[in-house]
Amino acid sequence: MLNKYARAFFTRVLTPFAALLIRLGVSPDAVTLTGTAGVCAGALVFYPRGEFFWGTVVITLFVFSDLVDGNMARQLGRSSRWGAFLDSTLDRVADGAIFGGLTLWYAGRGDDNVLCAVTIFCLASGQVVSYTKARGESIGLPVNVNGLVERAERLVISLVACGLSGLHKFGVPHIEILLPIALWIVAVGSAVTLVQRVVTVRREAAEADAGERTVPQGGEAR
């Protein structure tokens, strides 16, 4: 849902900014690298100290680079396999930094082993969910399923909850409970999504294997 509608909306909004960067001679790869560095800095500097509001503000400013770099590449007519690979790889780095920063908080001053474990699961399951689709496609399967919680949903749920939970330091009572709730939602949603993709790949692989067995030797299937 978010990939379909929110991405289209923000792409339109950010198109003028992308055009400005092009006129300034900035490359899409530079935007990708800068955005990832900003996300990692915001997550690993602020989150382990419990500064969830300001950390989320910094991350949000940089996370839109994921839309800007692709927009720039399309305007330049330079979409490439390398750009897609770099973008996808650094997305995993950014996700790891966000959940890694939260893990450091719960393992340290946050002092909650259960939520530390839940956050680690969010980190690991998010990486595996992405891997299942990439691996399925690499062996020639379409992997025609998105799943309950994709990367966009994981980021929005986690970052919104982090930002709002940070308002506790500004005197908003009991709002810090939103972050644990969000982490549990992401963990369960990621697990469901992982099962959905594994089941889909298993079905598509079985269909592909069955189709190959029906092809007559030296000829084509009829």
Side-chain angles (χ1 to χ4, degrees):
M1 182 71 72
L2 287 174
N3 272 337
K4 183 176 180 181
Y5 296 107
R7 181 175 288 270
F9 169 77
F10 283 110
T11 295
R12 290 194 298 271
V13 171
L14 294 171
T15 293
F17 180 63
L20 173 62
L21 292 177
I22 291 172
R23 289 195 296 272
L24 294 174
V26 179
S27 71
D29 287 354
V31 172
T32 304
L33 291 166
T34 301
T36 302
V39 170
C40 291
L44 297 177
V45 171
F46 290 95
Y47 282 179
R49 297 187 296 166
E51 297 288 346
F52 297 131
F53 178 78
W54 293 115
T56 302
V57 169
V58 172
I59 291 170
T60 302
L61 290 175
F62 284 98
V63 81
F64 285 107
S65 66
D66 190 44
L67 299 177
V68 174
D69 56 4
N71 193 312
M72 292 172 66
R74 285 189 293 273
Q75 290 189 46
L76 290 168
R78 287 189 352 212
S79 297
S80 64
R81 291 182 177 86
W82 162 250
F85 170 81
L86 180 66
D87 189 54
S88 180
T89 299
L90 293 184
D91 281 349
R92 308 288 83 76
V93 174
D95 292 356
I98 291 171
F99 288 105
L102 293 174
T103 298
L104 290 173
W105 163 251
Y106 285 119
R109 292 166 59 187
D111 193 24
D112 193 318
N113 289 337
V114 173
L115 286 176
C116 179
V118 171
T119 308
I120 291 173
F121 180 81
C122 289
L123 192 163
S125 60
Q127 305 289 342
V128 177
V129 163
S130 298
Y131 173 80
T132 54
K133 187 172 182 66
R135 184 68 178 116
E137 291 174 343
S138 74
I139 59 176
L141 301 175
V143 195
N144 285 324
V145 63
N146 290 322
L148 181 63
V149 176
E150 294 185 275
R151 181 174 187 260
E153 285 82 8
R154 290 197 302 272
L155 282 181
V156 170
I157 293 170
S158 302
L159 292 178
V160 169
C162 278
L164 292 177
S165 294
L167 295 177
H168 174 70
K169 290 198 171 184
F170 295 90
V172 179
H174 310 302
I175 199 166
E176 68 276 12
I177 192 63
L178 289 178
L179 181 54
I181 292 173
L183 290 174
W184 277 106
I185 290 173
V186 171
V188 173
S190 296
V192 172
T193 303
L194 178 58
V195 172
Q196 288 177 304
R197 290 193 174 179
V198 169
V199 169
T200 298
V201 169
R202 186 178 188 278
R203 174 178 53 78
E204 291 177 349
E207 291 172 353
D209 291 343
E212 290 177 357
R213 286 194 294 269
T214 61
V215 177
Q217 188 172 6
E220 296 181 352
R222 288 179 169 81

